[in-house]
């Protein structure tokens, strides 16, 4: 199924990219990488589908040249990747030369193909040594993130087109320390509240460190969702506001207004670190771009039987992906327009992740996935509509280049434009890969 848009439908200079993340593809057993909290989380029964982990993943550590050839063949301008903190500093403080050498070779290989490297410094591989001191619940972790920033930027910063500090702080903090779905799998409001602050502090400290090193084009990547109420009752409307506050406004207000939203802070304050206002200037340090990851909307109702935030998610009626996520492109448009109008104005924005998982299978060396081309078309349409409404959107990255280790879901959920056979490591570009390549090169 052809993609309904091509480059010509987007402003001059608009960049298309494909995105990946270190733990999901590299293979953490390679290159003297240290262990991270995902290694322990996934080895604990019940946390990850089939007890799978990222030890081999797509073996990208050894196959990155072949994978970057695919990015090039796909007609993309840019490649979004991340550096694993546990690979760079296996014990959380000492540099692993093999780890940095690998990222050095990777950076060169991206540039050799005339692809623009878009780096994310933290996409969730917290070294075990830092998990041992409480991970993101401990302020020390935010300070240590500066060491990782400095090590990576001194090594490959000269070749980066754009750098993001943290991928999805909501997932780093709330999903992982309050909901317990991601490593370290905690369900503890005090740890979560602290993590919600420390991850932003790490962002601010990292920005500061990169400014001192002369790095340009620095940003952060937030995952936003459009929150909708299940009904128009006052209780569901306020449940909607609470989730919007925790998921979206917490991060946007902190970064762009140097404050946390009052309606959320009044309940979380009991668990927060003291003197947090002293960090807000740093957290709101100016950035050069903002990345938005968008997948679906969230419908919520009040759950009066539960303590704060007393919300429950309701399944909507729209078509769902393999993740059980509704396909709702309108939420991409509304999220981009909202961020631009309420927070960022002219600041360049990128869609740093958007994509869908499907139960893709290979038949006669081909993967037929028309639903993905359709998904991409409808989300490109939403991105275009946002641009038409004045959003300074500069690029769109598909998640993901490859089928990979989808965190707690293991290898079952296939987001890739390229199918990966995890037994043989054979890559098979799906029909959507060819469709998108045609749209980007014609
Ligand atoms: C995002 C993550 C990414 C991937 C997609 C499906 O939340 O950033 O690593 O798991 O979801």
């Amino acid at each position: 199924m052809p993609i309904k848009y091509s480059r010509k439908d987007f402003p001059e200079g608009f960049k298309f990219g494909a995105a990946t993340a270190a733990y999901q593809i590299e293979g953490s057993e390679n290159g003297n990488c240290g262990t991270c909290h995902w290694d322990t989380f996934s080895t604990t029964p019940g946390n990850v589908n089939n007890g799978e982990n990222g030890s081999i993943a797509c073996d990208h550590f050894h196959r990155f040249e072949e994978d970057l050839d695919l990015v090039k063949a796909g007609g993309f301008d840019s490649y979004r990747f991340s550096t694993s903190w546990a690979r760079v500093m296996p014990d959380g403080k000492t540099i692993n030369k093999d780890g940095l050498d690998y990222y050095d070779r990777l950076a060169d290989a991206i540039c050799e193909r005339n692809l623009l490297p878009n780096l994310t410094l933290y996409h969730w591989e917290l070294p075990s040594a830092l998990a041992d001191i409480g991970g993101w619940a401990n302020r020390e972790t935010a300070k240590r993130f500066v060491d990782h920033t400095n090590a990576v930027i001194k090594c490959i910063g000269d070749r980066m087109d754009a750098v993001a500090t943290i991928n999805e702080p909501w997932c780093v903090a709330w999903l992982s320390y309050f909901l317990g779905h991601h490593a370290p799998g905690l369900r503890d409001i005090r740890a979560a509240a602290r993590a919600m602050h420390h991850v932003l502090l790490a962002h601010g400290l990292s920005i500061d460190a990169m400014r001192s090193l002369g790095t340009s084009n620095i940003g952060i990547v937030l995952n936003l969702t459009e929150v909708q109420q299940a009904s128009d009752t006052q209780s569901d409307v306020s449940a909607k506001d609470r989730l919007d506050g925790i998921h979206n406004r917490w991060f946007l207000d902190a970064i762009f207004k140097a404050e946390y939203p009052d309606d959320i802070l009044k309940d979380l304050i009991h668990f927060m670190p003291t003197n947090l206002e002293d960090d807000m200037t740093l957290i709101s340090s100016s950035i050069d771009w903002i990345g938005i990851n968008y997948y679906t909307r969230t419908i919520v109702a009040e759950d009066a039987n539960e303590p704060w935030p007393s919300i429950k998610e309701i399944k909507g009626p729209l078509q769902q992906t393999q993740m059980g996520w509704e396909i709702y492109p309108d939420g991409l448009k509304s999220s981009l327009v909202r961020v631009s109008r309420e927070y960022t104005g002219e600041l360049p924005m990128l869609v740093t992740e958007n994509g869908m998982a499907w139960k893709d299978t290979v038949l006669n060396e081909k993967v037929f996935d028309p639903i993905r081309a359709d998904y991409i078309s409808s989300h490109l349409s939403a991105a275009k509509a946002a641009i038409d409404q004045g959003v300074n959107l500069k690029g769109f990255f598909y998640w993901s280049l490859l089928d990979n280790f989808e965190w707690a879901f293991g290898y079952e959920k296939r987001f890739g434009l390229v199918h990966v056979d995890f037994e043989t490591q054979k890559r098979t570009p799906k029909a959507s890969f060819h469709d998108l390549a045609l749209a980007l090169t014609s």
Side-chain angles (χ1 to χ4, degrees):
M1 173 172 296
I3 303 282
K4 294 200 188 94
Y5 298 93
S6 75
R7 270 183 193 284
K8 298 186 200 85
D9 297 303
F10 286 82
E12 177 100 25
F14 191 87
K15 300 284 187 294
F16 289 90
T20 62
Y23 192 78
Q24 294 179 274
I25 61 168
E26 287 176 352
S28 62
E29 68 174 31
N30 300 317
N32 292 320
C33 185
T35 61
C36 75
H37 64 175
W38 268 98
D39 293 306
T40 25
F41 181 74
S42 53
T43 313
T44 307
N47 284 343
V48 174
N49 193 30
N50 296 324
E52 291 162 340
N53 60 51
S55 59
I56 300 175
C58 306
D59 195 30
H60 178 77
F61 183 88
H62 294 115
R63 296 166 196 262
F64 67 86
E65 300 267 0
E66 175 194 348
D67 292 338
L68 291 173
D69 286 343
L70 286 166
V71 181
K72 194 65 194 169
F76 295 104
D77 310 294
S78 185
Y79 176 59
R80 177 170 179 243
F81 70 107
S82 72
T83 44
S84 158
W85 191 351
R87 180 178 297 291
V88 173
M89 297 185 158
D91 63 359
K93 52 178 178 230
T94 317
I95 290 179
N96 165 26
K97 189 173 172 308
D98 290 352
L100 280 186
D101 281 354
Y102 162 68
Y103 290 121
D104 197 28
R105 284 182 281 126
L106 181 68
D108 279 347
I110 298 170
C111 295
E112 274 159 19
R113 287 163 179 80
N114 279 325
L115 294 165
L116 299 166
N118 182 307
L119 163 68
T120 300
L121 286 165
Y122 185 71
H123 202 129
W124 309 350
E125 303 88 351
L126 187 73
S128 299
L130 298 179
D132 291 346
I133 61 164
W136 290 107
N138 187 339
R139 188 179 178 91
E140 180 65 18
T141 298
K143 295 199 206 143
R144 297 280 195 90
F145 187 57
V146 173
D147 302 339
H148 174 60
T149 302
N150 282 331
V152 172
I153 295 299
K154 282 181 188 162
C155 178
I156 61 171
D158 57 335
R159 280 152 285 168
M160 296 301 106
D161 178 56
V163 184
T165 53
I166 307 272
N167 181 67
E168 302 188 347
W170 177 84
C171 290
V172 173
W174 202 255
L175 187 68
S176 308
Y177 289 79
F178 184 78
L179 298 175
H181 296 323
H182 275 192
L186 275 190
R187 293 174 48 72
D188 182 301
I189 196 164
R190 183 175 164 92
R194 279 151 195 270
M196 290 283 271
H197 182 66
H198 294 146
V199 69
L200 285 167
L201 176 62
H203 158 75
L205 290 166
S206 175
I207 293 280
D208 204 38
M210 284 193 273
R211 294 277 182 230
S212 306
L213 293 172
T215 314
S216 52
N217 211 17
I218 316 174
I220 185 169
V221 170
L222 304 181
N223 56 317
L224 301 184
T225 181
E226 182 179 318
V227 188
Q228 298 176 350
Q229 64 262 22
S231 80
D232 287 335
T233 59
Q234 190 46 50
S235 54
D236 284 356
V237 172
S238 57
K240 185 251 318 178
D241 289 338
R242 282 198 296 285
L243 188 65
D244 181 54
I246 295 167
H247 198 118
N248 300 322
R249 286 182 285 118
W250 183 267
F251 303 99
L252 290 163
D253 285 11
I255 294 166
F256 296 106
K257 298 182 177 169
E259 63 191 19
Y260 290 125
D262 282 341
D263 57 332
I264 304 302
L265 189 60
K266 76 176 171 30
D267 291 299
L268 270 193
I269 191 74
H270 318 293
F271 312 104
M272 299 288 294
T274 48
N275 301 328
L276 49 99
E277 40 306 315
D278 296 349
D279 298 327
M280 298 315 285
T281 306
L282 199 60
I283 289 174
S284 59
S285 300
S286 77
I287 52 178
D288 308 308
W289 61 278
I290 171 103
I292 306 294
N293 294 351
Y294 173 82
Y295 289 93
T296 190
R297 67 174 171 179
T298 312
I299 305 173
V300 289
E302 177 165 83
D303 187 351
N305 295 322
E306 288 292 339
W308 187 92
S310 317
I311 40 186
K312 62 177 173 220
E313 275 191 36
I314 307 290
K315 278 275 166 229
L318 304 178
Q319 183 177 20
Q320 294 173 6
T321 68
Q322 192 192 14
M323 296 292 280
W325 296 347
E326 283 187 304
I327 301 180
Y328 186 68
D330 239 31
L332 174 61
K333 182 188 76 187
S334 57
S335 297
L336 295 173
V337 169
R338 175 197 194 180
V339 171
S340 144
R341 292 201 182 145
E342 293 178 26
Y343 294 95
T344 59
E346 286 299 303
L347 189 77
M349 221 184 267
L350 296 173
V351 174
T352 28
E353 284 181 30
N354 175 248
M356 63 164 285
W358 200 245
K359 210 173 171 177
D360 300 308
T361 49
V362 183
L363 192 67
N364 299 328
E365 313 242 321
K366 290 194 163 72
V367 179
F368 184 59
D369 61 341
I371 189 169
R372 186 169 284 107
D374 209 34
Y375 182 100
I376 296 172
S377 294
S378 60
H379 286 81
L380 286 178
S381 170
K384 243 180 90 55
I387 295 171
D388 292 343
Q389 291 188 25
V391 174
N392 190 17
L393 187 67
K394 297 292 195 192
F396 182 99
F397 289 70
Y398 180 81
W399 180 273
S400 179
L401 174 68
L402 304 169
D403 292 341
N404 58 44
F405 176 72
E406 180 45 46
W407 306 113
F409 297 93
Y411 292 94
E412 191 187 83
K413 312 290 189 216
R414 294 182 175 272
F415 274 91
L417 290 169
V418 176
H419 182 278
V420 177
D421 178 328
F422 295 106
E423 299 285 312
T424 62
Q425 292 296 344
K426 183 172 165 40
R427 275 72 165 142
T428 306
K430 301 177 188 177
S432 57
F433 174 93
H434 299 296
D435 294 337
L436 192 52
L438 195 64
L440 298 186
T441 50
S442 58

